[in-house]
Amino acid sequence: MPCVADSAGIADREGREAGAGCGEETKAEEGEVRSISFMLTTDQVRDRSKTVTRRTGWENLKPGTLLLAVVKGMGLKKGERMEPLAVICVESVCREPLHFMTADLGYGFDEIRREGFAFHPIFGWPSMWVDMFCRAHKDCTPETVVTRIEFRYVPGFNPKSEVSNGEA
């Protein structure tokens, strides 16, 4: 199933450019990289089995953007720090309804693998993964159109460093 293009002009799966580079032009300002939370899939990012993520927002994200993957990015108490996991480079962005994963099981199982759940006893099934995603996101149903973000890990990042709250 192809991604659907939305009004913002996000390319469909067949029309997107592959292998977009991550360079200085992808940063909002010199030295600034936006953070993206992987609170529900921290283990998958740590073991690098996750190369796709789905979000209910992020409609304006562009291929080539560098992002700082963190455990938790919002709801930090004063003085708490974000725990960085990796720097990732966005390879492609598209919009699609969640039910694409259950309508075409070949696609669904491939996406489950990319989401890092290939060997999970429950969420390794597309219908169960979609159900879990919907339960974790308010007002989400299998018909909800989400942003599918494919990314790669940028080598050379030291995850032991910390980022202060609000400065990523």
Side-chain angles (χ1 to χ4, degrees):
M1 292 268 170
C3 286
V4 293
D6 69 1
S7 60
I10 297 172
D12 66 9
R13 187 167 291 116
E14 287 81 16
R16 67 182 179 222
E17 288 186 34
C22 286
E24 294 302 314
E25 70 278 4
T26 62
K27 298 178 183 180
E29 293 177 20
E30 187 62 36
E32 182 179 324
V33 178
R34 187 174 174 190
S35 63
I36 184 169
S37 173
F38 288 92
M39 189 168 71
L40 299 176
T41 55
T42 299
D43 291 340
Q44 290 83 353
V45 173
R46 283 191 172 128
D47 69 18
R48 303 299 195 256
S49 62
K50 183 176 187 72
T51 59
V52 165
T53 188
R54 284 172 170 74
R55 304 292 162 137
T56 56
W58 295 79
E59 294 93 351
N60 297 317
L61 188 65
K62 303 287 183 216
T65 302
L66 289 174
L67 298 170
L68 178 66
V70 298
V71 174
K72 181 179 175 184
M74 296 181 69
L76 295 171
K77 296 177 182 147
K78 188 174 181 175
E80 279 189 300
R81 295 183 170 277
M82 286 188 265
E83 180 184 342
L85 298 167
V87 173
I88 60 175
C89 176
V90 176
E91 296 274 296
S92 67
V93 180
C94 64
R95 305 268 296 154
E96 67 181 23
L98 283 170
H99 70 76
F100 275 12
M101 294 177 67
T102 57
D104 177 345
L105 289 180
Y107 175 70
F109 280 112
D110 189 46
E111 290 297 287
I112 293 299
R113 178 185 56 77
R114 293 169 186 242
E115 287 276 2
F117 287 90
F119 302 107
H120 195 282
I122 297 169
F123 303 130
W125 291 92
S127 59
M128 298 303 289
W129 190 93
V130 168
D131 183 61
M132 177 267 301
F133 185 95
C134 289
R135 289 175 189 261
H137 296 83
K138 185 178 179 180
D139 298 324
C140 182
T141 70
E143 288 73 37
T144 300
V145 176
V146 297
T147 305
R148 179 191 180 275
I149 304 166
E150 187 171 354
F151 61 89
R152 65 177 168 81
Y153 295 92
V154 176
F157 174 71
N158 179 4
K160 298 196 186 294
S161 62
E162 293 185 358
V163 178
S164 63
N165 184 2
E167 294 299 320

